[in-house]
Amino acid sequence: MRNPLADKVVDIKPSGIRKFFDIVSEMQDAISLGVGEPDFDTPWHIRDEGIYSLEKGRTFYTSNAGLKDLRQEICNTIRRKQGVSYDWQHEVLVTVGGSEAIDIGLRAMCNPGDEVLIPQPSYVSYEPCAILAGATPVIIDLKAENEFRLTAEELEAAITDKTKVLILPFPNNPTGAIMEKSDLEAIAKIIEEHDIFVMSDEIYSELTYKEKHVSIISLPGMKERTVYINGFSKAYAMTGWRLGYCCGPAAIIQQMTKIHQFAIMCAPTTSQYAAVEALKNGDPDIEEMRTAYNQRRRFLMNAFREMGLECFEPYGAFYVFPCIKEFGMTSEEFATRFLEEEKVAAVPGTAFGDSGEGYLRISYAYSLEKLKTAIGRLGHFVEKLRSEQNNK
Amino acid sequence: MREELLAIIEKNSRIDLKELAVILGVEEIDVVNELAALEAEGIICGYHTLINWEKTDIEKVSALIEVRVTPQRGQGFDSIAERIYKYPEVRSVYLMSGAYDLMVILEGKTLREVSNFVSDKLSTLDSVLSTATHFILKKYKDHGTAFATKKEDEREMITP
């Protein structure tokens, strides 16, 4: 029989997280710091709208781009939070999570051989999506000394004649890094000079702990060359609803809608109705969750200081990214031993790119009680490793 | 800090001061001072424990009593409310808008004890015009906390 598979797909290496997941799932009593989704339930009033829509029998397809009400609310929200206006009819597409927008956005924008710049450490799907889109991923290794922000120099150095799209993954998973207005202004200049496009994945935009999040679309000249991606998973604790959206220039959104129409048809109808409620009345929920995350973040940073573990202070998402280089082992070795000896699962930084080597992603989407237990074990483990080193 | 501090200790008054300082991002001494101020101002009135008595062997009966009263000249409802809340078996007294004036929540050991309180003490007060007693059959949620057993974390152990 012939090989039924496409080389392009076979050649994509499976997510580094997957491998670790298999070890963890073998363990019965492990506790986890490895989750990339909120621990909160979706606020009840949002769930209630979803239930109500089912009761009313709203079980049909919506228009391809998404419910009119939802697209209008998305525009209202962006106008309210970023001061940027989009045309709901031509510049908005409701997708199945932010992930779909990443996939179809790259497919809509890239020709074979086009280069897509991907700052890493970052979310696991940019690189495979770029490859599947026929583009060439070009990795920019972000540095701890810059608090894992993308600098103008790093960007400039990575740009070639073939560069088409820059992925901008901030606030960042896994590092928790943010880009502030001045950071964005510095790279915006270069983006314009070299006439490249931006795919800004701002799924964690509501979860920042310094100033309010600033989007690159709010800078002059940037909205015209940016696909802005956001969604409901992180801000409203709606991961399982699978709902995201993107906004951008009509020409790009139109082509993305075409792919979406043929591949997906439309995002889940129930989720869309619930999402309208989330955008209309969900601000207090976001505030409450953000406050809780921030308390946990402070708790972790303090715990790291006390155990002498190096960690830059992250101001976004719900991750901290401590450095484990002092122990002289790889991230994977560290995470594996931590799991085996202390029964705590945390994700090795390398799951998010080679530049994550020497770091560990710790999620704080857990209650303070759970974090306390897990961090107690981390403290114990760190002590143990240090005494091992001293005895050598 | 005040609002966030209150929100935290309203849910967990046992949290230790050092931890409270850490998660609020302030110094411990500031927390101590703020708590003292909140107590002095009568904003923090106590540090109670939420108990689901139904899970113990101890029998308790709670009732919610709607009370209609005649307000008194110069004192409104305050003095009659005070006369009622001074009884130790009275857990809460609220002044209400609508069909009745005071809502009294009462706790006793037995049904009879509660009935006796209503008929002997509450109804016989001069300003009380009428009462309607509702016994509480089951508490599902109190002080913002649901009594049902907590659900397990159903998330996958590791997700990107």
Side-chain angles (χ1 to χ4, degrees):
Chain A
M1 198 164 58
R2 290 163 61 193
N3 177 5
L5 301 172
D7 297 340
K8 187 164 80 175
V9 176
V10 174
D11 290 347
I12 293 175
K13 53 179 198 282
S15 160
I17 276 191
R18 191 69 230 171
K19 197 165 110 195
F20 204 66
F21 178 85
D22 292 338
I23 315 175
V24 177
S25 54
E26 298 282 296
M27 286 211 165
Q28 290 298 319
D29 47 354
I31 56 176
S32 179
L33 294 172
V35 167
E37 61 177 323
D39 56 316
F40 300 100
D41 293 333
T42 307
W44 178 250
H45 66 103
I46 299 173
R47 282 189 272 165
D48 196 39
E49 275 308 309
I51 295 166
Y52 181 66
S53 79
L54 290 173
E55 281 177 355
K56 293 281 269 185
R58 289 169 176 157
T59 54
F60 305 103
Y61 296 128
T62 67
S63 67
N64 295 129
L67 286 173
K68 175 183 166 193
D69 277 1
L70 179 55
R71 282 184 282 158
Q72 287 179 335
E73 272 315 317
I74 288 168
C75 292
N76 290 341
T77 303
I78 298 174
R79 198 175 308 122
R80 191 156 49 89
K81 302 205 175 192
Q82 296 297 335
V84 176
S85 296
Y86 282 105
D87 166 9
W88 70 270
Q89 281 184 292
H90 303 107
E91 298 180 322
V92 183
L93 171 63
V94 178
T95 54
V96 180
S99 319
E100 188 209 337
I102 296 166
D103 176 26
I104 64 175
L106 289 172
R107 284 201 269 162
M109 292 164 85
C110 296
N111 283 313
D114 283 347
E115 290 178 353
V116 175
L117 298 180
I118 305 173
Q120 284 185 347
S122 59
Y123 186 59
V124 296
S125 71
Y126 306 123
E127 200 176 335
C129 283
I131 294 170
L132 289 172
T136 309
V138 174
I139 307 303
I140 302 177
D141 288 325
L142 301 177
K143 294 186 186 65
E145 66 250 36
N146 301 325
E147 298 189 339
F148 292 103
R149 295 169 197 229
L150 174 64
T151 66
E153 295 74 38
E154 289 167 333
L155 174 61
E156 183 123 55
I159 292 176
T160 70
D161 299 344
K162 294 182 187 144
T163 305
K164 182 85 177 270
V165 182
L166 163 70
I167 304 229
L168 203 57
F170 298 95
N172 184 274
N173 170 13
T175 62
I178 55 168
M179 291 280 280
E180 292 178 86
K181 194 171 180 202
S182 55
D183 303 314
L184 292 171
E185 280 165 348
I187 63 164
K189 249 179 62 192
I190 294 163
I191 289 163
E192 204 153 30
E193 257 170 48
H194 294 270
D195 192 18
I196 60 178
F197 297 92
V198 180
M199 174 178 275
S200 190
D201 182 355
E202 304 183 25
I203 191 78
Y204 290 97
S205 65
E206 293 297 336
L207 303 179
T208 57
Y209 313 104
K210 214 173 178 183
E211 268 119 53
K212 288 247 175 256
H213 170 75
V214 177
S215 171
I216 192 156
I217 55 171
S218 67
L219 302 187
M222 285 297 114
K223 181 195 159 194
E224 293 74 10
R225 50 176 71 246
T226 301
V227 173
Y228 168 90
I229 299 177
N230 211 322
F232 299 87
S233 294
K234 317 297 175 176
Y236 302 98
M238 292 178 73
T239 46
W241 300 75
R242 305 310 307 123
L243 204 68
Y245 57 86
C246 55
C247 305
I252 304 177
I253 294 297
Q254 191 188 354
Q255 298 307 319
M256 288 175 73
T257 307
K258 197 156 77 185
I259 306 175
H260 174 79
Q261 169 190 347
F262 292 130
I264 304 282
M265 192 75 171
C266 71
T269 303
T270 313
S271 305
Q272 292 193 51
Y273 279 103
V276 172
E277 169 66 16
L279 292 177
K280 275 186 176 159
N281 298 313
D283 276 7
D285 304 299
I286 295 177
E287 197 49 51
E288 200 176 307
M289 291 189 265
R290 178 181 27 226
T291 304
Y293 287 132
N294 199 13
Q295 291 168 1
R296 301 164 184 182
R297 187 184 67 91
R298 291 187 186 121
F299 168 79
L300 287 177
M301 290 310 295
N302 182 68
F304 293 155
R305 263 194 300 277
E306 282 182 348
M307 63 177 91
L309 201 59
E310 191 187 320
C311 185
F312 82 99
E313 181 153 10
Y315 291 106
F318 39 63
Y319 308 103
V320 287
F321 206 55
C323 175
I324 45 116
K325 287 177 181 167
E326 60 165 303
F327 306 106
M329 48 176 118
T330 66
S331 296
E332 207 167 310
E333 283 164 359
F334 185 96
T336 309
R337 272 192 67 182
F338 188 33
L339 178 61
E340 280 166 357
E341 293 169 34
E342 303 286 341
K343 304 231 183 281
V344 182
V347 184
T350 41
F352 306 94
D354 294 341
S355 51
E357 185 56 273
Y359 298 88
L360 197 64
R361 186 191 76 172
I362 288 178
S363 159
Y364 49 91
Y366 296 94
S367 68
L368 267 176
E369 283 62 44
K370 286 187 180 160
L371 286 179
K372 251 181 257 178
T373 313
I375 290 303
R377 295 192 196 177
L378 179 63
H380 180 255
F381 186 55
V382 162
E383 283 308 306
K384 188 161 120 189
L385 293 180
R386 284 187 184 140
S387 68
E388 272 176 27
Q389 280 180 319
N390 290 340
N391 294 338
K392 265 180 197 164
Chain B
M1 149 167 105
R2 181 165 273 211
E3 199 182 329
E4 195 176 348
L5 172 64
L6 287 172
I8 294 169
I9 61 170
E10 189 181 21
K11 288 202 189 111
N12 177 15
S13 61
R14 289 188 72 205
I15 186 168
D16 76 52
L17 292 172
K18 183 175 171 290
E19 187 184 331
L20 204 46
V22 166
I23 66 174
L24 288 168
V26 298
E27 294 300 318
E28 195 172 331
I29 184 71
D30 298 330
V31 175
V32 172
N33 291 338
E34 187 67 4
L35 283 171
L38 285 162
E39 286 171 22
E41 290 169 42
I43 293 173
I44 293 177
C45 306
Y47 298 88
H48 298 71
T49 305
L50 182 61
I51 297 170
N52 184 1
W53 287 102
E54 284 168 30
K55 289 211 158 180
T56 69
D57 298 332
I58 299 161
E59 291 285 333
K60 275 185 191 283
V61 180
S62 304
L64 194 152
I65 307 159
E66 299 168 3
V67 186
R68 287 179 55 232
V69 300
T70 325
Q72 281 158 323
R73 195 179 190 114
Q75 294 167 356
F77 294 97
D78 294 354
S79 73
I80 178 70
E82 187 179 342
R83 287 209 61 176
I84 294 174
Y85 72 63
K86 285 211 163 149
Y87 288 106
E89 50 271 65
V90 170
R91 306 284 296 181
S92 317
V93 177
Y94 305 123
L95 179 63
M96 309 297 289
S97 66
Y100 57 96
D101 305 306
L102 296 173
M103 183 172 83
V104 176
I105 296 174
L106 201 67
E107 198 173 270
K109 286 197 185 67
T110 61
L111 222 89
R112 170 164 304 183
E113 200 180 289
V114 174
S115 326
N116 285 350
F117 176 85
V118 176
S119 56
D120 298 353
K121 294 174 179 157
L122 197 56
S123 313
T124 54
L125 290 173
D126 279 346
S127 341
V128 170
L129 297 172
S130 72
T131 63
T133 304
H134 310 277
F135 285 99
I136 292 167
L137 302 181
K138 183 174 180 179
K139 285 186 189 173
Y140 292 98
K141 188 178 182 181
D142 208 352
H143 289 79
T145 301
F147 285 152
T149 39
K150 290 190 184 90
K151 66 172 196 174
E152 294 286 303
D153 193 341
E154 288 169 7
R155 295 176 293 170
E156 299 282 325
M157 289 284 275
I158 301 267
T159 46

